[in-house]
Amino acid sequence: MLTRVKSAVANFMGGIMAGGSSGENVSGCDLPLKFPYMRPEFLGLSQDEIECSADHISRPILILKETKRLPWATGYAEVINAGKSALNEDQACCEVVEVKKRTGGSTPSRTPTAKRRSSLPNGEGVGLRDSADADGLLFHYWALFDGHAGSGAAVVASRLLQHHLVEQLQEVLEVLRNSALLPPTCLGEEPGATPGSHRALTRAASLRGAAGAPGSPGTPPTRFFTEKKVEHESLVVGALENAFKEMDAQIEREKSVYNISGGCTALVAVFLLGKLYMANAGDSRAIIIRSGEVIPMSTEFTPESERQRLQFLGYMQPHLLGNEFTHLEFPRRVQRKEVGKRMLYRDFTMNGWAYKTIEDEDLKFPLIYGEGKKARVMATIGVTRGLGDHDLKVHDSNIYIKPFLSCCPEVKVYPLTQYEHGADDVLVMGSDGLWDVLSNEEVSEAVTGFLANCDPDDLHRYTMAAQDLVMRARGVLKDRGWRISNDRLGSGDDISVYIIPLLHGNRQP
Ligand code: MG
C-alpha cells in the first residue's frame, strides 16, 4: 500500500494529476470525443493559432482580439502551463443567454438547449426580454473550468453548463419575471401563478389563518398554513446548484458513449435581474475590487478546507475507504513501532487536536494527507469539488474517489445594482494558476494600478489588464525557469483570467 501511495503521489504535481492531458484518446479509450479540444470560442482562434498557443517553451499569452467584444467589455487572457500537460486544461465560456418559456410538456429534455446572444456589444438589452416577446429573461454568464487528468470534462462543461442553467431557470421563470415587475414579496405558490393570483393566494392564506384562530372548532391551528419565506434570489441560487448537479450527471451518463476524460473545477458568474451570482466548485477564485478594496466572492474547496466533511463521510461509510485508509488525521504518518504510544490526532468533530493511543487501525494511510497545495484526498486529488472524475480511482486499486468529491457549488450573491461602481471597479475571476503565486492584494494593486494608467474610454483596457495579470503570474523565462517579481517562482500551471467591469451592470435595466 505504501509503495502504491508513493507511486501515486509521484505522479501528481501542483495539486492536479498529471498525464492523460490532451483530451485526445490518450487513455486508450476508443470512444469518440463529445467535443473536440479547443480554446474558448470567443477568442476566435484558427487551428494554427490553437497549436501555437500550446508551446510550453514560449508560453504565449492569448488575449481577446481587438475586433472581438465580450459583454460589458469584459477582459480575458490566458496562458498554457509550463509542461505539466500537453494542452491547456483550463476552459472558459462567456455569453449572454436567453431563458425562454418552455413550450410543450413540462418534462425537460435530456439534452438541454438554450438560445444565446453571444458577444453582444456591452450586453445591451439584458434583463427582461424585448417587449416583442415579453416572456423571457436574459442573463450574463462567465465561466472558468480548470481540468485535470484530461481536458474532456472541462471542454464538455464549458459547452453545456449554461444550458443546464437555462433549464433550471425555466422552472422559475415566471416567478422571477413577476419579481422584476412587482415589489418584493414572499414566495410559496407554484411557478406560473400570475401576480394577481399570488395576491389572491396570499389573501386566501390569510383568511385560512384567521379561520384557524384558537377557538374555531374543527379547524387546524394556524401553524399548519404557514409557509417558509423564500427569497427570489434563492431561486437563482437553487437553479445554479441544480445546474451543476445536472451537468455532473450528464457527464456520468455520457461517459459510456463518449470519451470524457478527467474532471474539472467550475467557477461561474451570472448577472440576472440586477444581482451577481458567483458559483464555485473547486479551487479557482473570484474577487471584486471596489475602490481598491478587495471583496472575496468565493472560497476554495480543498482537502484541507473540506477535511471535516470528508472525514465524516469516511466515518459514516467506512467501506468507501477500502480498508486501506483511516478517516483520522495525524500530524505525520504513524509507524508500526508507535502502536500503543500516544499521538495527536483529529477527528471530523474537531478543529483542534487531542491525544489518543495508537492502534493497528491507525497505521492505515490517512484519508487526507499533506499540506497546502500538496494536500490530497486518498493520495490522489488536491481539489474536492467539481465536475466529472467518475472513473477516478486510487492508484492501482479499486477504490473510487468520486464519493468524496462534491459537484455542489457554493453560491455568493452580490447586489450589484445597489452600489455605484466606477470604471475601475471590477470582478476578477482566475484559475488557481493565478492565485497560486499572487495574493488578492497583489492582484488588486496590479489591476488598480494598471487601469489607472489606461484611457478610461478604451474598452480594450480590461483585456490589457488581464494580460498584465497573466504576465505577472507567469513571469519571464530565466536560467532556472519562470520567475516573477522578487525572483519568486512563476506559476507553471495553466492561467486564465477574466476582468469584468462592474460599471456596465449598473447600466442594465
Ligand atoms: Mg489549475
Side-chain angles (χ1 to χ4, degrees):
M1 177 64 201
L2 184 59
T3 309
R4 174 193 303 168
V5 170
K6 276 183 179 170
S7 165
V9 170
N11 283 327
F12 304 122
M13 53 188 291
I16 299 297
M17 285 173 59
S21 58
S22 69
E24 308 296 333
N25 291 342
V26 290
S27 60
C29 175
D30 291 330
L31 297 172
L33 294 171
K34 172 85 174 171
F35 298 106
Y37 171 82
M38 59 180 294
R39 296 317 307 146
E41 201 177 16
F42 56 71
L43 286 178
L45 300 183
S46 67
Q47 201 53 43
D48 279 352
E49 288 172 319
I50 290 176
E51 281 173 27
C52 290
S53 75
D55 183 347
H56 295 97
I57 307 300
S58 62
R59 298 183 75 193
I61 297 174
L62 308 187
I63 61 172
L64 203 64
K65 295 171 182 170
E66 290 217 41
T67 53
K68 299 276 180 188
R69 284 278 181 273
L70 286 177
W72 295 8
T74 293
Y76 178 83
E78 66 168 48
V79 71
I80 196 169
N81 62 78
K84 184 186 74 159
S85 59
L87 297 175
N88 187 338
E89 293 183 340
D90 284 2
Q91 293 291 339
C93 177
C94 176
E95 292 178 355
V96 178
V97 186
E98 179 181 359
V99 187
K100 288 195 76 172
K101 194 173 177 180
R102 186 176 292 139
T103 53
S106 60
T107 308
S109 64
R110 283 207 140 189
T111 308
T113 55
K115 194 170 177 181
R116 74 179 185 200
R117 294 188 170 185
S118 182
S119 305
L120 288 179
N122 300 324
E124 296 93 333
V126 171
L128 295 180
R129 279 213 59 209
D130 303 336
S131 56
D133 182 10
D135 62 354
L137 272 179
L138 295 180
F139 66 87
H140 282 74
Y141 175 87
W142 298 263
L144 274 185
F145 306 90
D146 183 344
H148 51 259
S151 53
V155 170
V156 168
S158 73
R159 300 284 287 267
L160 296 183
L161 180 58
Q162 69 272 34
H163 301 302
H164 284 287
L165 181 57
V166 166
E167 200 161 76
Q168 297 299 321
L169 288 172
Q170 281 176 332
E171 298 282 336
V172 291
L173 178 61
E174 292 200 31
V175 181
L176 291 177
R177 281 185 52 78
N178 291 340
S179 79
L181 298 168
L182 291 169
T185 182
C186 72
L187 303 177
E189 75 275 36
E190 283 292 309
T194 64
S197 69
H198 177 263
R199 278 195 288 270
L201 278 173
T202 306
R203 191 163 52 246
S206 158
L207 289 171
R208 285 198 303 270
S216 303
T219 307
T222 311
R223 63 176 178 275
F224 290 119
F225 294 109
T226 60
E227 288 187 4
K228 201 175 197 106
K229 284 186 180 176
V230 177
E231 302 290 333
H232 296 114
E233 71 177 42
S234 297
L235 299 180
V236 182
V237 172
L240 276 160
E241 290 166 337
N242 278 350
F244 275 57
K245 190 175 73 177
E246 290 300 319
M247 184 72 255
D248 195 52
Q250 185 182 1
I251 293 173
E252 181 176 26
R253 218 166 42 234
E254 297 194 350
K255 70 184 173 59
S256 60
V257 189
Y258 295 105
N259 175 14
I260 305 176
S261 56
C264 67
T265 67
L267 178 68
V268 171
V270 166
F271 178 73
L272 176 63
L273 296 173
K275 290 182 179 175
L276 186 69
Y277 298 83
M278 183 61 62
N280 182 44
D283 59 359
S284 295
R285 185 185 301 171
I287 61 169
I288 282 174
I289 303 168
R290 193 177 68 203
S291 304
E293 178 199 353
V294 171
I295 304 169
M297 287 299 295
S298 65
T299 48
E300 285 96 73
F301 294 101
T302 66
E304 285 187 316
S305 69
E306 295 218 90
R307 173 184 61 82
Q308 286 171 288
R309 176 179 75 79
L310 302 175
Q311 285 185 309
F312 183 60
L313 182 59
Y315 168 78
M316 292 298 288
Q317 301 196 49
H319 64 279
L320 297 176
L321 300 172
N323 205 30
E324 298 213 20
F325 293 89
T326 169
H327 75 276
L328 294 181
E329 183 186 18
F330 299 93
R332 56 180 165 78
R333 280 302 310 277
V334 180
Q335 298 177 44
R336 177 154 293 283
K337 65 184 180 186
E338 292 173 303
V339 172
K341 294 183 178 170
R342 307 267 291 164
M343 188 183 277
L344 288 170
Y345 81 103
R346 270 205 295 197
D347 207 339
F348 66 88
T349 53
M350 305 166 69
N351 272 312
W353 296 80
Y355 278 100
K356 82 181 287 284
T357 302
I358 296 296
E359 307 162 40
D360 281 346
E361 184 76 5
D362 302 325
L363 294 173
K364 292 176 180 172
F365 200 85
L367 170 62
I368 296 158
Y369 190 66
E371 280 186 280
K373 291 297 286 185
K374 291 182 177 170
R376 295 286 181 275
V377 180
M378 293 175 153
T380 303
I381 188 166
V383 66
T384 51
R385 295 203 190 191
L387 306 167
D389 286 318
H390 298 91
D391 291 330
L392 184 60
K393 291 179 184 177
V394 175
H395 182 69
D396 200 21
S397 85
N398 270 322
I399 305 172
Y400 281 94
I401 310 283
K402 184 65 175 176
F404 292 92
L405 307 179
S406 168
C407 63
C408 182
E410 176 192 59
V411 185
K412 295 195 177 184
V413 187
Y414 178 74
L416 193 150
T417 50
Q418 286 183 23
Y419 296 97
E420 285 291 321
H421 294 100
D424 295 354
D425 292 337
V426 294
L427 169 69
V428 180
M429 295 168 63
S431 54
D432 67 332
L434 174 73
W435 307 105
D436 283 350
V437 295
L438 296 179
S439 66
N440 290 355
E441 289 65 35
E442 285 174 314
V443 166
S444 173
E445 276 178 30
V447 171
T448 305
F450 189 92
L451 291 177
N453 287 316
C454 290
D455 175 359
D457 296 325
D458 178 4
L459 291 180
H460 206 53
R461 67 203 295 257
Y462 303 103
T463 280
M464 303 302 285
Q467 181 185 34
D468 177 66
L469 263 193
V470 172
M471 174 74 87
R472 286 170 185 266
R474 182 202 67 176
V476 294
L477 192 55
K478 292 187 177 175
D479 300 340
R480 292 170 296 148
W482 294 90
R483 296 278 155 178
I484 60 174
S485 61
N486 301 324
D487 208 32
R488 291 180 293 170
L489 211 54
S491 173
D493 197 2
D494 302 308
I495 310 167
S496 306
V497 174
Y498 282 114
I499 296 189
I500 303 163
L502 300 176
L503 179 66
H504 296 270
N506 292 108
R507 294 174 178 163
Q508 303 304 318

